[in-house]
Amino acid sequence: MNLFRSEEHARDWEEFEPRMAAMLRPVEWWAETFAAPMFRARARSDFLSWMSGSDGAGAFAELRARLTPPRPDVKATTAAVAALSQVDLAVLDGASADDRSVELNLMGVWPASVPIEIARDWRDTAAAMIVAIPSDPLPDVDAHHWIDTRRSAVRDVQAGDGWLRRAEPGAGDPRLTARLQQMGWQGEMADQPAWTAMEQAARAILKCRELALLG
């Protein structure tokens, strides 16, 4: 165990592990923890047999519950991120990140070239939601699905970053325009970089919302 003057000093320690942040507790909390029956019973001559009995099992369960980090409220955290952003996530209601519905939903709001600042707001919102979701799966959640979905959302944001770096105000792309026209769009020349950056961010947001519901 390491003792620090304050939580700020602990977080500034070069070996600080963010995943253990929930264990940053006052000395009084640790003193009470080590005064639990599980530790006091170690002086018993029959400690091993006591541990195998109901009293020992109860003491161990009490200690484990006390030391278990609180389950993060991913749903509330991601909702707070969305509330603080400039993005209206209601646009994505009913869309799925795995099909063309993301494009169809966004087309109803931005049928022409997407301003770079709008695409950047979507990217920033997606990135903030990813940060709010733990990289380690929560208990009672399919670990593979959690990890794969979160990684996929990260890749979406990275792709959006790449498109934003290529975005130029007023630039258009005939390939995107042709694709949107096949879907019924009749607008002017579409802006490929900003449009695709926003679309990638939207897919990441949908994946984060899915994980938040699991949490």
Side-chain angles (χ1 to χ4, degrees), residues 13-94:
W13 182 40
E14 61 181 7
E15 296 185 30
F16 175 71
E17 174 53 64
R19 289 181 299 177
M20 299 298 294
M23 304 311 294
L24 288 175
R25 302 283 187 171
V27 173
E28 293 83 357
W29 187 91
W30 285 108
E32 183 178 346
T33 298
F34 287 122
M38 181 68 189
F39 291 102
R40 293 201 307 268
R42 289 185 175 183
R44 298 173 60 119
S45 59
D46 61 342
F47 177 72
L48 293 180
S49 58
W50 176 82
M51 269 293 297
S52 61
S54 59
D55 290 343
F60 182 73
E62 178 185 337
L63 177 64
R64 183 172 55 186
R66 183 175 178 83
L67 294 177
T68 300
R71 183 187 180 106
D73 192 341
V74 181
K75 186 175 182 179
T77 307
T78 53
V81 169
L84 293 173
S85 75
Q86 302 296 318
V87 172
D88 180 11
L89 298 189
V91 175
L92 300 178
D93 288 346

Side-chain angles (χ1 to χ4, degrees), residues 86-117:
Q86 302 296 318
V87 172
D88 180 11
L89 298 189
V91 175
L92 300 178
D93 288 346
S96 170
D98 300 321
D99 58 30
R100 303 293 292 274
S101 61
V102 172
E103 289 178 310
L104 292 172
N105 281 38
L106 295 179
M107 268 177 49
V109 181
W110 290 283
S113 297
V114 176
I116 296 175
E117 59 271 18

Side-chain angles (χ1 to χ4, degrees), residues 145-173:
H145 176 69
W146 182 279
I147 293 172
D148 290 345
T149 303
R150 190 179 186 280
R151 285 178 177 172
S152 180
V154 170
R155 289 194 294 269
D156 288 334
V157 171
Q158 291 171 341
D161 287 338
W163 284 108
L164 279 175
R165 285 193 292 270
R166 294 191 291 272
E168 297 180 7
D173 186 275

